[in-house]
Amino acid sequence: MSESPAAQPAASPIPYEGVPLSEALYQLSAALVAATTRDQVLRAALRCAISVPGAVAGAALMVQGDGLHQAAFEAKQPETVQPGIPLLGAAVLWQGGPLSAVSPAADSLRGRQALYFAQAGSLIAAYPDLGAAAGASAAIVPLLGGERALGALALEFAGPHKFSADERRFLEALAPQVVLALGRVTAAEDLERQVAERIRELETRAASLDAFVQFSELSATLPGVRELAGHAVRVLRSTLGEVSAAYFEPEDGLWRAYVWSGDFAPEVAAVIQAGVPFGAPSYAAAVSSRQPLFVPGWDAAREGVDRTEDYGAGAFYPLFVAGEPCGLLAMGVRGRPDWTERERSVFRAVGNSLNLALERSEAARLLHLRNAELNARTQALEGFASLTRGLALRGDPHLLARRALEVILSLLPPGYGLYYEREAAQDSAAQGSAAQ
């Protein structure tokens, strides 16, 4: 970014002052090896560059987007600068500008060569729009990384300066060293950034796994849906800290909260207990998509949930069993407008774990009912098998009917059973009957 004159650093001693140019270039190589940031590379390069006799200051103009921006500035000690000579930090010339503009730095990059303005007035003659701020004479050396233009080093001189062949070779040999050093520190910064991102990714995964393990360890022993939901709410709070969490169930066209964390304000708890309409935007969107939904920039009025103005972001995980929505896990955070990737990952893990636990609970319930039916059928079959075994020994049909009634009634709730026979005149109850 461009820097105002007030933001410029104080003039600093130049370590290369009075050193032969060849020795200054050698010392620069050592300084660039030790540099670990772009700013250190550019400042070392400028300190070396303004060791050219007559130079008073230098600036590094670096490409950023479609423009040039001053990234570093160095000047010799004030006592070595003649009064009235404009320094680079204050001159319009060195404050950068569009790459498409007509300016010394932009022209140097387009032409891919250094530009030297030796005679008094030659810089103003070439770029009259610069006016008096252009100084007496200048040198602009492009920084080129292959086909890519990185920026330029611009030097200002106190008076007319005839650039010797050695000075030109010095400045043009300095530029490739700067480019190599910039490439090295950029690669190191990129690697550091990648490592940091990987560490954050691993931390996020670890948090998700921890939440999954916490939920799984206890969920197998919890018998009911709301007990499972309560466990999910506690895991979210213990893992993520300052979040609010609640579990909703559908009832009479509303999503009613039956489990919620203790940090809810009483008025908010009352609202979610009373119920949120099915049509509330985020609730409806989560159920419709069947996917977790994260809502940055929570707006209580827009979302149709009163008393939730303090919340900055919301999250919803729809819970389905046998293809039907049976619940909704919700989470909110105060004081900031969005979720971190870690929070999103943990919420997905807990929501998925809760949905799996609900599916297992429903499967266990259905299995219990199925087992009860099978047991009833088994008892019936055993009873009739016992009845069949006695057919050959029992000649009295009334005794046989009584036995059949006893078997049937043993498989049914308490009640009575009757056996009827048709007589010639009318139907009447047989002598055999049974009660349970």
Side-chain angles (χ1 to χ4, degrees):
M1 299 294 293
S2 299
E3 298 181 13
S4 64
Q8 298 297 338
S12 56
I14 302 303
Y16 308 99
E17 188 72 24
V19 176
L21 295 180
S22 58
E23 177 63 20
L25 204 58
Y26 175 78
Q27 292 181 20
L28 173 66
S29 299
L32 293 178
V33 169
T36 58
T37 67
R38 187 180 80 155
D39 182 70
Q40 290 175 356
V41 168
L42 294 176
R43 291 191 180 281
L46 290 173
R47 288 168 183 162
C48 183
I50 61 178
S51 67
V52 173
V56 293
L61 304 176
M62 304 303 292
V63 174
Q64 183 178 322
D66 57 359
L68 284 164
H69 301 267
Q70 188 186 108
F73 168 78
E74 288 289 337
K76 290 182 178 178
Q77 290 289 355
E79 59 268 20
T80 68
V81 179
Q82 295 180 19
I85 301 297
L87 294 181
L88 294 176
V92 176
L93 173 62
W94 315 122
Q95 294 303 318
L99 281 169
S100 58
V102 177
S103 68
D107 286 349
S108 174
L109 291 175
R110 279 192 289 269
R112 301 180 67 82
Q113 63 181 354
L115 300 179
Y116 299 95
F117 301 90
Q119 302 300 321
S122 60
L123 183 57
I124 297 176
Y127 302 96
D129 290 343
L130 297 178
S137 58
I140 297 91
V141 183
L143 302 175
L144 304 171
E147 296 298 317
R148 183 183 173 202
L150 303 180
L153 300 180
L155 307 180
E156 187 175 4
F157 291 77
H161 183 84
K162 182 178 180 180
F163 294 93
S164 68
D166 285 344
E167 290 172 347
R168 292 175 183 245
R169 279 194 297 269
F170 166 73
L171 292 174
E172 292 170 24
L174 178 150
Q177 291 195 42
V178 176
V179 170
L180 288 174
L182 288 173
R184 177 180 57 78
V185 298
T186 299
E189 289 171 353
D190 288 344
L191 179 59
E192 183 177 349
R193 183 166 51 252
Q194 291 172 14
V195 169
E197 289 174 355
R198 181 59 176 165
I199 289 173
R200 284 194 298 271
E201 180 183 342
L202 292 174
E203 289 175 343
T204 297
R205 289 185 180 182
S208 300
L209 288 173
D210 287 345
F212 176 80
V213 169
Q214 283 187 54
F215 188 88
S216 301
E217 285 177 346
L218 189 59
S219 63
T221 65
L222 296 175
V225 170
R226 293 176 188 173
E227 289 84 354
L228 290 168
H231 183 45
V233 167
R234 288 189 294 274
V235 169
L236 287 173
R237 287 279 294 169
S238 65
T239 305
L240 299 180
E242 296 302 317
V243 299
S244 303
Y247 166 75
F248 296 79
E249 290 181 358
E251 182 181 316
D252 299 329
L254 299 171
W255 285 105
R256 295 187 188 275
Y258 284 94
V259 180
W260 57 91
S261 54
D263 66 302
F264 276 106
E267 59 272 18
V268 178
V271 168
I272 62 177
Q273 280 181 277
V276 179
F278 280 175
S282 292
Y283 288 74
V287 174
S288 175
S289 68
R290 294 174 173 255
Q291 297 292 329
L293 176 68
F294 296 93
V295 185
W298 178 265
D299 184 321
R302 181 191 66 212
E303 299 295 341
V305 186
D306 294 337
R307 304 302 186 96
T308 57
E309 293 81 4
D310 289 344
Y311 288 87
F316 300 87
Y317 197 110
L319 305 167
F320 286 80
V321 172
E324 296 296 325
C326 65
L328 194 69
L329 183 64
M331 183 173 73
V333 66
R334 300 180 184 87
R336 50 189 170 87
D338 206 354
W339 300 103
T340 66
E341 187 55 42
R342 176 177 178 270
E343 289 168 334
R344 291 171 182 254
S345 181
V346 168
F347 184 68
R348 290 190 190 98
V350 173
N352 183 59
S353 299
L354 177 58
N355 210 143
L356 291 174
L358 295 180
E359 290 175 347
R360 287 196 302 268
S361 177
E362 177 65 10
R365 187 186 69 83
L366 294 176
L367 181 60
H368 177 75
L369 292 177
R370 181 62 175 168
N371 286 338
E373 292 176 1
L374 290 175
N375 287 335
R377 291 182 182 181
T378 300
Q379 291 179 28
L381 291 173
E382 289 175 349
F384 279 102
S386 174
L387 177 64
T388 304
R389 285 194 298 271
L391 286 177
L393 303 177
R394 294 172 179 167
D396 187 346
H398 294 162
L399 291 176
L400 183 60
R402 180 182 292 277
R403 179 57 181 153
L405 287 172
E406 289 173 352
V407 170
I408 293 171
L409 291 173
S410 70
L411 304 175
L412 297 174
Y416 297 89
L418 296 174
Y419 165 70
Y420 287 83
E421 288 182 348
R422 177 181 288 275
E423 294 184 351
Q426 60 182 3
D427 290 342
S428 62
Q431 295 179 354
S433 65
Q436 184 184 22

